[in-house]
Amino acid sequence: MTSTGIRLHAPAPGWAIAADVVVVGSGVAGLTAALRCEAAGLSTVVVTKARLDDGSTRWAQGGIAAALGEGDTPEQHLEDTLVAGAGLCDETAVRLLVTEGPGAVRRLIETGAHFDESSEGGLALTREGGHHRRRIAHAGGDATGAEISRALVEAVRARGLRTIENALVLDLLTDAEGRTAGVTLHVMGEGQHDGVGAVHAPAVVLATGGMGQVFAATTNPSVSTGDGVALALRAGAEVSDLEFVQFHPTVLFLGSDAEGQQPLVSEAVRGEGAHLVDADGVRFMAGQHELAELAPRDIVAKAITRRMQEQDAGHMFLDARHFGAEMWEHRFPTILAACRANGIDPVTEPIPIAPAAHYASGGVRTDDHGRTTVPGLYASGECACTGVHGANRLASNSLLEGLVYAERIAADIAAERAADGLRARVPEPVPHPDKPAHPLLAPESRFAIQRIMTQGAGVLRGADSLAGAAEQLQRLHTDARDALDVHGKTAEPGVDSWEATNLLCVARVLVAAARLREETRGCHWREDHAERDDAHWRRHIVVTLDPDRSLAVHPTDTADFPPTRSYPAPQEQ
């Protein structure tokens, strides 16, 4: 790993604290890692961009998948995951997920999460797309993420973990040997700390969530601006599979000009028997896949998009009127409220839906302990690429991945600390060089990026649309670079400009990978290359950022991930 030396334009840190571990993010991955690190005796600081419960986890509706039901097995869960991943899952990573998953869910319950129970007293399990078994545990009907977030936040507060809320992470700090030495961050508003500061730590866990805000319409909250992936790229880490952005098939359609976070209509609604229909009430998924409406998400999203094109329609419909009022009120109260708030009553009318950006299957490349290619830097959850999801995430595997791999990260950090006494000392970060710096974009560039990405790299992609997107993104990048390099000027440092700059970074990577992958696989749909091409493209695309701020893009030789580092992992404790 070679550091790029690039960092965001920002004031020098005006304050600093020290810890053994800093966890950036407060979703299921971040808080699980923090709790496990604290339990191992490590001084742990949690940094989160808004409040502790404001990440993507609390918006998760459907549930968490694990082989917990009678007759279900990890092997069956493995098979469903591999099929959904369209030939690009890392089977070792998936096997770890499905075998360690049931235990991780039970430990989550022990932490305080309450899941819905059946009339017999066991977990109430449902199905979602791509699953051949009912293995989705849920809470509050369709408020699973909110319940998991509540339980983890309460546990963090009960154990007195140090937290820094309303803090945007900026860049990674490294020591003289190139190892992780902490992060710089900017704290917004009043609190114990304010403005730009630093947390010095020999281990950093990125759990910053997704990058859905790179598109105009998404299910992601406004904080999902790809900050962790952009930070990792500037630090010299490898990013993989960013072209595989999953568009959720059933997002409440609020109009063709709707932007920002859109209400999700969980896949569990189809799992309970809702039908996809067009304006004439015709079920168009029947006969297209053995699971019909419960086919993997990429297949359903493509079918909806095709039907919309055929009928020149802006949306399709999800019909669950046959559920009746009682089922809607008890099983899907969150979705019912969201629909009614927007003038739609699913008890009496079909729900207008359309695909929207939902989940990034790619991210910062890690091994099976969450280690990136930068020593001491870990990644977990949606910002990571563990190899579990391949080309298309299986429904409700994301919360499970956050749990399982966060636990593995904490175990690895504890093992490294025990094996290396030198790591017990707080590292001394080296000062960032004056150059090269990353030019900042004006805040209004965010909307330009979203329009470019939606038009050129959305559900349907092709060589022409991707080339147009690449050209427009490069123009934004070049204009900002020239303003800095030639005139010494850049946008005013601040949260909005930092977020816009991060979005441009991840957008450029996504488009570069999508242009290179000349095939259709999983949730990457190329109109000009409609077939899957295993001979040439059953491999991953890895991207790094060069010191001159250009992208280095290359495919791996095989479908296997290369190792993230050459020295052996510490022994399991």
Side-chain angles (χ1 to χ4, degrees):
M1 187 280 299
T2 303
S3 174
T4 67
I6 299 172
R7 87 284 184 230
L8 291 172
H9 270 282
W15 54 269
I17 61 174
D20 296 324
V21 185
V22 56
V23 177
V24 186
S26 60
V28 62
L31 295 189
T32 299
L35 287 167
R36 296 294 180 266
C37 285
E38 186 269 344
L42 299 168
S43 170
T44 305
V45 173
V46 177
V47 174
T48 187
K49 195 172 178 181
R51 298 189 306 272
L52 278 181
D53 62 352
D54 267 352
S56 293
T57 291
R58 77 182 181 97
W59 296 100
Q61 294 175 346
I64 184 166
L68 295 163
E70 184 177 353
D72 197 5
T73 65
E75 198 66 28
Q76 294 176 67
H77 190 183
L78 172 85
E79 182 60 30
D80 285 346
T81 301
L82 295 179
V83 170
L88 278 187
C89 293
D90 182 291
E91 187 167 340
T92 299
V94 178
R95 194 170 295 279
L96 287 172
L97 178 83
V98 299
T99 55
E100 297 181 11
V105 173
R106 294 186 184 100
R107 286 186 288 277
L108 179 61
I109 293 172
E110 292 170 3
T111 300
H114 302 292
F115 290 94
D116 297 337
E117 296 184 350
S118 66
S119 57
E120 292 78 26
L123 287 175
L125 302 174
T126 190
R127 282 181 66 196
E128 291 184 355
H131 293 273
H132 285 79
R133 290 274 188 177
R134 296 180 75 89
R135 65 168 65 97
I136 316 298
H138 48 83
D142 58 358
T144 309
E147 171 57 18
I148 291 174
S149 181
R150 179 205 63 77
L152 292 173
V153 168
E154 285 190 6
V156 164
R157 288 176 173 156
R159 297 182 194 181
L161 267 73
R162 189 167 191 175
T163 61
I164 304 176
E165 296 182 286
N166 301 305
L168 172 65
V169 68
L170 298 175
D171 282 303
L172 190 74
L173 295 170
T174 54
D175 64 17
E177 298 176 350
R179 297 186 63 92
T180 291
V183 293
T184 55
L185 62 154
H186 174 77
V187 181
M188 301 164 270
E190 297 180 1
Q192 183 178 358
H193 301 289
D194 200 5
V196 175
V199 181
H200 296 164
V204 171
V205 181
L206 296 178
T208 52
M211 55 181 196
Q213 289 291 326
V214 79
F215 293 97
T218 177
T219 63
N220 289 194
S222 61
V223 295
S224 298
T225 52
D227 307 319
V229 174
L231 174 151
L233 282 161
R234 290 192 295 272
E238 293 182 358
V239 168
S240 184
D241 298 357
L242 223 61
E243 69 272 31
F244 296 117
V245 174
Q246 188 176 77
F247 286 76
H248 198 288
T250 54
V251 175
L252 187 62
F253 181 75
L254 301 180
S256 58
D257 57 349
E259 296 183 339
Q261 186 178 9
Q262 310 292 300
L264 176 65
V265 181
S266 168
E267 195 152 330
V269 177
R270 281 175 282 138
E272 296 293 351
H275 303 144
L276 285 165
V277 299
D278 60 19
D280 298 320
V282 176
R283 285 184 65 186
F284 53 88
M285 282 304 301
Q288 294 206 32
H289 190 275
E290 60 166 334
L291 295 176
E293 278 91 354
L294 286 177
R297 287 179 178 174
D298 63 309
I299 294 171
V300 179
K302 291 171 188 175
I304 291 172
T305 304
R306 284 195 190 99
R307 197 68 157 197
M308 288 164 54
Q309 290 178 324
E310 291 168 1
Q311 299 188 346
D312 193 24
H315 61 86
M316 291 288 108
F317 293 93
L318 186 66
D319 192 352
R321 290 174 291 179
H322 53 285
F323 284 6
E326 183 177 357
M327 182 173 176
W328 269 110
E329 290 165 2
H330 289 88
R331 180 66 179 87
F332 300 111
T334 306
I335 299 169
L336 178 64
C339 288
R340 286 178 169 169
N342 287 282
I344 300 150
D345 188 350
V347 177
T348 60
E349 59 186 318
I351 305 168
I353 53 88
H358 182 56
Y359 188 90
S361 292
V364 187
R365 189 171 75 78
T366 73
D367 64 10
D368 58 13
H369 287 83
R371 296 174 296 219
T372 73
T373 51
V374 177
L377 179 65
Y378 297 77
S380 185
E382 190 173 352
C383 76
C385 184
T386 62
V388 159
H389 303 309
N392 185 48
R393 175 178 66 95
L394 181 65
S396 288
N397 268 357
S398 51
L399 292 175
L400 190 71
E401 182 197 32
L403 275 180
V404 168
Y405 281 86
E407 291 187 342
R408 295 184 69 81
I409 286 172
D412 190 75
I413 294 172
E416 283 227 344
R417 180 65 176 272
D420 188 353
L422 292 176
R423 297 276 286 145
R425 294 203 300 264
V426 175
E428 183 65 31
V430 296
H432 273 304
D434 290 336
K435 291 185 179 181
H438 206 301
L440 298 181
L441 269 69
E444 57 268 23
S445 300
R446 175 174 183 149
F447 304 107
I449 293 165
Q450 291 172 334
R451 287 191 293 271
I452 292 167
M453 293 298 290
T454 298
Q455 293 168 4
V459 180
L460 290 174
R461 306 166 179 177
D464 291 343
S465 73
L466 289 167
E471 181 181 354
Q472 294 175 76
L473 294 173
Q474 183 61 36
R475 191 176 304 125
L476 290 173
H477 174 74
T478 300
D479 289 348
R481 181 196 64 195
D482 291 349
L484 177 65
D485 293 349
V486 177
H487 305 292
K489 297 180 179 179
T490 189
E492 185 71 21
V495 173
D496 291 342
S497 57
W498 289 322
E499 285 186 333
T501 303
N502 286 339
L503 283 171
L504 178 62
C505 181
V506 295
R508 291 176 64 218
V509 174
L510 193 162
V511 169
R515 294 184 75 186
L516 184 60
R517 184 175 291 281
E518 294 182 332
E519 65 160 355
T520 289
R521 183 185 298 270
C523 52
H524 171 68
W525 187 9
R526 286 283 298 259
E527 292 182 282
D528 52 340
H529 296 280
E531 302 300 322
R532 173 170 154 176
D533 183 358
D534 281 350
H536 297 96
W537 289 111
R538 190 165 177 261
R539 58 194 66 198
H540 304 275
I541 293 175
V542 176
V543 182
T544 55
L545 186 65
D546 286 336
D548 65 357
R549 311 182 198 111
S550 63
L551 299 177
V553 187
H554 71 274
T556 57
D557 294 332
T558 69
D560 298 327
F561 274 157
T564 58
R565 60 184 189 182
S566 58
Y567 50 95
Q571 296 298 308
E572 295 282 357
Q573 299 297 302

